[in-house]
DNA sequence: TTGCCATATGTTATCGCTAACACAAAACTA
DNA sequence: TAGTTTTGTGTTAGCGATAACATATGGCAA
């Protein structure tokens, strides 16, 4: 692969002139420019971004670290990130932590090795603190999304889990439900905790007793709803509705209910956070949901990064809270 | 961020000795090694991969270009790619072409700029030829997966679309169906063409007339099954079964049928290529499918790349054909 | 005509690292 | 004991690009 010196020699100019043509910087006579361009074309010259990044001290690369890129929420975040980054001339490296601290750590180190200019991270859990601290130590622009990590202060974009959970729970109550169960995600994740809190508060505000045995914590590892659904269904009185904390949990629960031949919403109502689109367009029934604008999580995160990268140093970490939309669909059923 | 020279100075050795410690190459006295390591720790030294890649002429990076990372098939390919690459010490950059030639082209150029060591590509269509040719011109190790591109000879890993399509069609015929429709993906993609061919052949072998109006070409842009389903359903006689060419098309069709209140498989049987897992675990009914081992597409592709990267030059492009598994599920129904 | 500025191009140093070679000193071999 | 090999470390050059400065024109105002 040819380099700038070879091009320069063939075009009978200095490498610097070639560089000027490449970057459209400084003065170059039109005639010279054309000649250089012709030689570049002829030699199939492609500038070496590695060398550029080295001298410019800038890689024009961002990293997005998410727990699970197959999750439609994060896929959409990725889209938002990529689109906005491209507008600013940046590339994005996508990293999948698989909700695994060690994998997340590896990617964190990779980001340092590659000298990425900024990082967007949906933490795999509270353990992520160590990884985030390491990044902060190097003053790499950093935005956390979706999940807040205790004891770490960074720019942050989260959904309003509390409000969403309240609205969903209230919706069930308004429909006449009094025995409402909840299946949360791992409580090591901030969104799970907040959604649980919103659920509890709303029950209390409506004078409904909170019951521990109505709350189950699903794991991201298990592929099925396993034991906890049986437990829930065996409770007395049996819940008439379930609030699932996110799309992943919802998929588990819906599948579990189907296996047990329990109809939604006739036998049991369901409300959830997040979507299961697009492939799950085939899901039945369509789920009543607190819909988060995942795309905005990504694009806004990039905007925050850009301000930190280009701009004057900003002292304070910023916190953006995005409201979910409550979309009423069939799964929550009719008024009892 | 500190560099190798600063570490060297502080450790009172030459940069070369630090480099030796870093790379565990050459001779370094244990005592010196410990001292250097201590200084690296103390200074938070992280080697600069850009500089390394520049001098080594090797980026230790592969690129995976796929049309749609949200498609469970490609997500699984990505997993296979990443896992195998990591085993060999390589990173993977994931690129989403969105089935868009221009975006694919941009990513192709990015790969060149970044001097990636190898590329795995699921072409967006036959137009991709130009992009592949550009890559070939630079002799970058290249493996095409899933889709073959006319007029380009590269290492290739494809599923046996012909055999899969034959098996699925035969399955329907064996169940007693005689009026079998097909919804293909864009015919600019080799898999679509081959699956269509397998369908046609099998019909003929069973003495069933092939009808043009039983075949519809779905687009990846349209989110719904739009007009073509109505057309199919209005045909005389109305088809009793549909063969969908992949998971994306299947999702469209299943959704469309549901909107039209047509039951699967009672009113209409469905068979398809690919899975819709994991989020579509909630899909109902479960689809009879020619299941491709997506993970192997990815991991095998990396193995082929590695042979080209490390090994002696291999003259001939290689072609690997992976067999799909036929998984019979509820959507194809009972014997008529 | 002098001086200044815009234009056009080149030279040198440097980004951070490693390959290749050089050179001691220590350890072994004959 | 002299010669060879192993061990340990340093020096120099170069990967491919650009920043910063240097230099040389020509044009134009004063």
């Amino acid at each position: 692969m040819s380099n700038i010196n070879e091009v320069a020699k063939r075009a009978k100019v200095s490498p610097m002139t070639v560089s000027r043509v490449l970057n459209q910087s400084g003065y170059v006579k039109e005639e010279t420019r054309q000649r250089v361009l012709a030689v570049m074309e002829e030699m199939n010259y492609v500038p070496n971004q590695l060398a550029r990044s080295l001298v410019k001290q800038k890689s024009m690369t961002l990293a997005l670290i998410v727990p699970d890129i197959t999750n439609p929420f994060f896929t959409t975040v990725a889209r938002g990130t990529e689109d906005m980054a491209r507008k600013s001339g940046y590339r994005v490296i996508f990293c999948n932590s698989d909700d695994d601290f060690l994998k997340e750590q590896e990617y964190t180190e990779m980001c340092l090795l590659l000298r990425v200019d900024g990082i967007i991270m949906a933490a795999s859990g509270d353990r992520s603190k160590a990884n985030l601290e390491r990044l902060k130590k190097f003053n790499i622009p950093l935005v956390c999304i979706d999940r807040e990590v205790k004891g770490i202060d960074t720019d942050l974009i989260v959904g309003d889990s509390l409000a969403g959970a309240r609205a969903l729970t209230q919706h069930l109550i308004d429909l006449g439900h009094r025995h409402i169960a909840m299946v949360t995600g791992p409580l090591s994740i901030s969104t799970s905790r907040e959604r649980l809190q919103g659920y509890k508060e709303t029950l209390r505000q409506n004078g409904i007793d909170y019951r521990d045995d109505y709350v189950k914590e699903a794991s991201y590892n298990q592929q099925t709803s396993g034991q906890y659904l049986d437990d829930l269904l065996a409770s007395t009185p049996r819940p008439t509705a379930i609030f699932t904390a996110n799309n992943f949990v919802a998929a588990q629960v819906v599948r579990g209910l189907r296996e047990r031949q329990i109809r939604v919403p006739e036998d049991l109502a369901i409300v959830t956070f997040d979507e299961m689109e697009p492939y799950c367009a085939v899901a039945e029934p369509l789920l009543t949901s607190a819909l988060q604008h995942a795309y905005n999580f990504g694009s806004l995160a990039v905007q925050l990064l850009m301000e930190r990268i280009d701009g004057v140093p900003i002292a304070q970490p910023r916190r953006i809270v995005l409201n979910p939309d409550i979309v009423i669909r069939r799964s929550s059923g009719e008024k009892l």
Side-chain angles (χ1 to χ4, degrees), chain A:
Chain A
M1 219 149 161
S2 52
N3 62 31
I4 203 171
N5 292 300
E6 291 167 29
V7 172
K9 196 172 292 180
R10 181 96 74 110
K12 299 190 201 306
V13 292
S14 73
M16 201 52 223
T17 298
V18 178
S19 173
R20 291 196 183 96
V21 172
L22 272 177
N23 297 286
Q24 310 183 52
S25 63
Y27 292 110
V28 181
K29 204 198 288 181
E30 180 58 23
E31 187 192 316
T32 314
R33 208 178 74 86
Q34 290 304 335
R35 183 157 36 97
V36 170
L37 284 174
V39 172
M40 294 200 307
E41 176 75 25
E42 180 193 334
M43 301 182 74
N44 281 312
Y45 172 68
V46 178
N48 187 321
Q49 184 60 43
L50 301 171
R52 270 187 182 164
S53 299
L54 185 59
V55 60
K56 291 222 173 164
Q57 298 285 66
K58 202 139 183 291
S59 61
M60 298 306 286
T61 304
L62 308 179
L64 172 69
I65 306 179
V66 297
D68 176 12
I69 195 73
T70 71
N71 182 324
F73 176 77
F74 290 117
T75 312
T76 309
V77 169
R79 281 275 157 77
T81 303
E82 191 188 15
D83 290 350
M84 185 57 74
R86 280 157 61 106
K87 275 189 199 153
S88 313
Y90 283 77
R91 276 175 289 280
V92 182
I93 299 182
F94 300 101
C95 313
N96 221 50
S97 71
D98 275 330
D99 263 312
D100 171 347
F101 172 76
L102 286 176
K103 232 180 139 186
E104 188 179 276
Q105 187 170 45
E106 274 185 55
Y107 275 122
T108 302
E109 286 308 312
M110 182 187 93
C111 289
L112 293 172
L113 283 168
L114 294 179
R115 302 296 195 265
V116 303
D117 297 324
I119 298 172
I120 301 171
M121 177 145 133
S124 66
D126 287 335
R127 284 188 68 195
S128 300
K129 192 180 172 201
N131 293 333
L132 292 168
E133 268 168 352
R134 176 136 172 95
L135 293 174
K136 276 194 82 172
K137 189 149 54 186
F138 293 95
N139 278 314
I140 299 178
L142 177 62
V143 177
C144 284
I145 58 170
D146 187 47
R147 304 164 176 191
E148 191 164 5
V149 174
K150 274 184 196 161
I152 275 277
D153 224 14
T154 64
D155 283 355
L156 181 67
I157 300 179
V158 290
D160 195 337
S161 285
L162 216 49
R166 283 186 192 132
L168 289 175
T169 310
Q170 191 65 52
H171 172 62
L172 289 173
I173 293 173
D174 291 346
L175 288 175
H177 291 278
R178 290 298 172 270
H179 306 290
I180 303 171
M182 172 160 190
V183 183
T184 77
L187 291 174
S188 61
I189 297 169
S190 65
T191 50
S192 298
R193 294 192 294 264
E194 287 169 21
R195 289 167 197 177
L196 177 58
Q197 193 194 333
Y199 157 84
K200 282 187 188 175
E201 285 180 13
T202 309
L203 289 185
R204 197 180 46 231
Q205 278 163 18
N206 288 269
I208 299 174
D209 281 342
Y210 165 76
R211 290 176 49 165
D212 255 346
D213 61 333
Y214 270 10
V215 174
K216 302 292 176 191
E217 182 178 346
S219 138
Y220 287 148
N221 302 322
Q222 62 198 141
Q223 280 303 309
T224 65
S225 41
Q227 185 61 38
Y228 68 76
L229 255 192
D230 284 329
D231 289 351
L232 274 185
L233 296 169
S235 313
T236 321
R238 176 167 147 171
T240 59
I242 298 182
F243 167 23
T244 58
N246 60 43
N247 54 8
F248 192 93
V249 173
Q252 271 187 21
V253 168
V254 168
R255 176 195 264 184
L257 291 176
R258 179 161 298 149
E259 283 166 1
R260 290 166 179 76
Q261 315 248 354
I262 293 169
R263 292 170 304 165
V264 177
E266 292 81 359
D267 302 332
L268 197 70
I270 291 189
V271 297
T272 185
F273 252 85
D274 304 334
E275 271 304 24
M276 295 196 283
E277 298 279 337
Y279 283 90
C280 299
V282 295
E284 170 63 21
L286 294 175
L287 298 185
T288 289
S289 161
L291 229 173
Q292 303 204 78
H293 299 230
Y295 190 93
N296 294 347
F297 278 69
S299 59
L300 282 172
V302 173
Q303 287 178 38
L304 292 188
L305 280 186
M306 289 302 138
E307 290 171 20
R308 295 242 180 236
I309 291 175
D310 306 326
V312 287
I314 310 159
Q316 289 304 317
R318 293 159 293 175
R319 185 191 174 88
I320 296 183
V321 179
L322 300 176
N323 286 322
D325 282 343
I326 306 297
V327 181
I328 311 285
R329 289 193 281 228
R330 216 173 74 75
S331 74
S332 52
E334 315 259 309
K335 201 164 171 91
L336 294 186

